[in-house]
Amino acid sequence: MSAIPNSFMERAIQLSLENVRSGRGGPFGAVIVQGNEIAGSGVNSVTGTNDPTAHAEVMAIREACQRLATFQLSGCQMYTTCEPCPMCLGAIYWSRLDCVFYGSTREDAAEAGFDDAFIYDELCRSRAGRTVRMEPLMREQTLEAFREWKRSGLKIPY
């Protein structure tokens, strides 16, 4: 691997260390790169913002999308200090990133107290078998929004 990709991972590592040392959040950092430029970066800000979705990868995606004025990051790569959790993995797929380079594994994260294995397990369960109760409610009424979407000339498919 060339020096440039290593420098992007080094930046993600630096962000994660600064975040830990400042006490603002967890030990995770991420950068998104387009070409040879950092388009966005993020650190874990869950505890500092009281936002359980404020993971480094999600924060980097948000910043890159704002900076690039797009909701799809095709042509971009992510460098993140840890293998993405299920939520971040979903955000990565929705944002259409081309590639993710990660440092630590999810097993490494679990050893440090960030174990998301239960979420992977939950995803394999039926809705009725999940530990968070999932109850259908007013399906027919909510389908109207999908019907409107299908008819709309204003929609932007994604």
Side-chain angles (χ1 to χ4, degrees), residues 3 14 48 53 65 90 93 106 109 112 114 124 141 143 156:
Q14 179 185 22
T53 68
C65 287
Y93 278 99
R106 65 187 196 192
F114 298 92
C124 296
Q141 293 86 334
L143 287 173
I156 300 172

Side-chain angles (χ1 to χ4, degrees), residues 30-102:
V31 297
I32 294 176
V33 175
Q34 183 183 53
N36 284 326
E37 301 282 328
I38 294 178
S41 64
V43 294
N44 179 285
S45 305
V46 170
T47 57
T49 61
N50 294 319
D51 179 356
T53 68
H55 289 199
E57 298 89 342
V58 171
M59 302 302 281
I61 288 169
R62 289 173 182 167
E63 184 173 287
C65 287
Q66 288 296 312
R67 187 171 288 158
L68 299 174
T70 183
F71 57 87
Q72 292 189 345
L73 297 173
S74 301
C76 296
Q77 304 81 40
M78 176 181 283
Y79 295 80
T80 182
T81 58
C82 190
E83 181 179 358
C85 75
M87 176 185 69
C88 294
L89 190 58
I92 287 164
Y93 278 99
W94 278 115
S95 68
R96 311 292 199 267
L97 284 162
D98 288 355
C99 182
V100 175
F101 298 96
Y102 65 92

